Amino acid sequence: MTEIVTSQTPPILHGPSEKEKKYDRQLRLWAASGQAALESANILLVNSGAGTVGVETLKNLVLPGIGKFTIVDDAIVSETDLGVNFFLDESCLGKLRSQCCAELLQELNPDAQGDWYPKEKASVNLGQILDSMPMYTLIMYTLPIRPEDLAAIKTYGRKHQTPLISIHSAGFYSYFQINLPGAFPIVDTHPEVEKTVDLRLLHPWPELVKFSQEMTKDIDSASDHDHGHLPYVVILLHYLEKWKEGNGGEYPTEYKAKMAFRKMVSEMARTNNPEGGEENFQEAVSAVNRNVKKPQLEQSLEEVFDHKLSNEVEMSSSFWMIARAMKKFYQKNGCLPLPGGLPDMKAQSSVYVKLQSIYKAKARKDALEVLETVRSSPGGKDVDPAEVDMFCKNASFVKLVNATAEGRDFKQILQQEKQNDELAEAIGTPLSLLPIYLALSATSHKPLASADEIKADIVGIWPDVADDMRVMQSSEEVARAGGGELHNISALTGGMVAQEAIKIITKQYIPIDNTCIFDGISSRCQVLRL
Amino acid sequence: MTVNEKSNSTARWQYLDRIRKTKGPFNDDDYDTSEEVLSMHGTQKILVIGAGGLGCEILKDLAMSGFRDIHVIDMDTIDVSNLNRQFLFRKADVGKYKAEVAAKFVERRVKGVQITAHNCKIQDFEEDFYMQFQFVICGLDSIEARRWINATLVNMVDDENPDSLKPLIDGGTEGFKGQTRVIFPTITPCIECQLDLYAPRAAVPLCTLATIPRQPEHCIEWAHIMAWEQEKPFPTLDKDDPEHISWLYKKALARAEEFKIPGVTYALTQGVVKNIIPAIASTNAIIAASCCNEALKIATSAAPYMGMNETYMQYQGDESIYTNTFKYAKKEDCAVCGNLPKPLQVDPKWTLQELLDSFATNASAQLKKPSIRTEDKTLYMQFPPALEEQTRPNLEKKLKEDLGLEEKQEIAVTDPAFPALSFRFFLKFS
Ligand SMILES: [Zn+2]
């Protein structure tokens, strides 16, 4: 695997570059590959309304080094802007809000390139501007917005397959919604390290079996030092075989059998030493529950295997070619390619390194098999082996966001949330935040709507909620804001949207699917697929 | 204020004022929207501790929430690795005091706000300094500093004087995750009650480092702990000096090659030695704004705030978005706000030295320089030197056999990091 090849070449003995120093704290999260994706991204913000939440989002993208951003906004800076938007000052009064914000954002980081529209004070024809612009990695727009602008953005998004994020912040409330063009697969999901351990104790391959048998052939007569330094993988493999002999060839996979197996292993530890036990045997015992298991397919990967390719883009994407090859591998071998990692365990250095190399060699072999399948499939010649390696290493954790394009039955969601609330009220857990979304949505084009107008709008579409107390309260609270933003709520929402934008741009970690509602009164959020 | 300035100011704070002048569905019936109450909020004095990733955001958020009298404490100077998130600093500011540069930037940007910078440690101030503020917001990366300010604020509470109760709002982040806590000292659970949330990482056994390294981290720790002590290439290790880190890196790399262990890099060396926690602008924005949202709600009563029912908001952004806002339980055996001793599991065969060492990694103690006594006997004192010398022979004695300590016996531990505190434990033999 490529990773191993590079780690075997001696690293160059110089310190980090200026850029690595500046971005050190984030490179530890998304590495050079994520950083490169950010640096080549081009983001559009269509800003409107009170105008702060989108700018706060951009701040959190400019700082980590987004390549290029553009703000479209035809508002002129007023005194009221200065009370909510930090990227404006006294000298901006009467000037274009787009230009002033772009300049003060640009000043945060010379690596990012800022631009703005319109260039002169004039109202903007968004459809026309969008047609004349380069391709965007991502478009964000803030609500309330003019209906014709919204239509222009949606048309552009559909035409160019651009991810869209709508953002609405008013008073103590906000929500944002991500609209991805089709299924969005992520390989580099960064699962917790503990979850990724895959030792294949019930499916050992010949090299591993041979190594283990050699190490344990004289286990009972081994010196205390050697016995106390057997890696727990070897200990478990050895006693699993013993277990099978006494249990009709069956592995201990059920709970009761596992407990008995744990007891068996722990009794094999030597206790006639000053410590009264052996650390490696303790490690082995505590590894039983998690690691003595049959390989099984994670639901998220099953979704990937079952996914029907729906368009040209998907047909020609390397992700789906590898996914197909992966499925073949799974069908043929009954398990996924080995990820190849080995957790730390008590062992002699040389023994551990040897065991590590056995796992790595097997992982490399499996990845090669997948690569060959990919290469022999139509269009698969140019697929990058590094992409195959990454997929194999992370196969269990590959995630498909926005898996189905099917329309959501909003009425059903509404009923589900109402039902959940009845239960929640009884046991004192948080109530649904969907009413907040409904109330904010009712002001998408009319920020100054009264509580009664908001409620009437909602009930007009969803008569079921006519006497819903939460809908009334949310409508009152949204009306209270009168289309105004509170800086804190917009800063917080801007942070959340920026995190999501980073996940989409870098294709790392797992973005929301697809709406996040924030309640600044109860200080919590809820993610719903709407 | 002239008439013109006043109308400007009215227009400027229009959004905030509208919320404040309109009673919402979640406000109490006696929600006060009078001009008099409205004008009080700007005059409140707020203390911000830390002018780093969270601190920069907090200063901006407070200024944009109409607070006009803010103090900020931070002893640190600006490093180039701060620039990816500490957005009040530029490359030209590297080496200057964070508190000072941050305060000036926000004062310049937001008219009418006054920010007083203190380029020093929080421990440099006495109680009367902290008494002047209405509340305190912490954006710190150090657990020790959090514990210190927490203990100070709890100790300051005087039941006769309601002004002595200073709400403490505390934020923290790591990567895509973070948390906000609101503490009403003595009334709601304090930072010390929640200390076990910050359990220190278990150290790698020294014998692994010395004889059987397996991971790149083992090679780095070996260079850090053993090779450095032995060779002393520079008089003291400065973890911010690239020359020192390079020395450790080369040592670690050579050791890794000897044992054929892959993966030692400069970045990893720096990360392990400095215990670097990944930090990004967006997470800081979320947590700081959450802290300031609670501050605004407490200061204005514009909406119910965290503290009385829920006390803790946990935020996770790495896998979708998840928040958990809940009530943390107050602990009766908290060393700061409780009045019972904590149980302490010990092996009666331990020496006193082993007991002392265990306090550093014990999640509910985390004390690096403990002194220890029983009700009637001093077992070991770190200071003054004469007493240290006198009690030193006890370090090698076994707890039960030599020192006569018994099951359920109470001991008191003190540490110079928390001069006002005495940590009480009762022994449980294993
Ligand atoms: Zn406490």
Side-chain angles (χ1 to χ4, degrees), chain A residues 5 101 119 146 212 297 407:
Chain A
V5 175
C101 289
K119 295 288 179 192
R146 291 185 291 247
S212 167
L297 211 51

Side-chain angles (χ1 to χ4, degrees), chain A residues 47-100:
Chain A
N47 203 19
S48 58
T52 298
V53 67
V55 174
E56 286 290 314
T57 307
L58 279 182
K59 157 186 149 283
N60 302 320
L61 294 173
V62 169
L63 286 164
I66 202 87
K68 195 168 183 299
F69 69 94
T70 304
I71 303 177
V72 175
D73 184 355
D74 57 15
I76 304 302
V77 178
S78 71
E79 193 70 42
T80 306
D81 283 310
L82 303 193
V84 67
N85 193 329
F86 188 78
F87 293 92
L88 294 171
D89 63 17
E90 305 283 317
S91 71
C92 300
L93 286 167
K95 295 184 186 163
L96 271 166
R97 192 165 70 177
S98 56
Q99 176 177 6
C100 295

Side-chain angles (χ1 to χ4, degrees), chain A residues 241-252 257 264:
Chain A
E241 281 314 305
K242 288 256 183 272
W243 174 274
K244 265 170 75 177
E245 284 166 22
N247 289 277
E250 292 292 320
Y251 276 130
M264 168 182 173

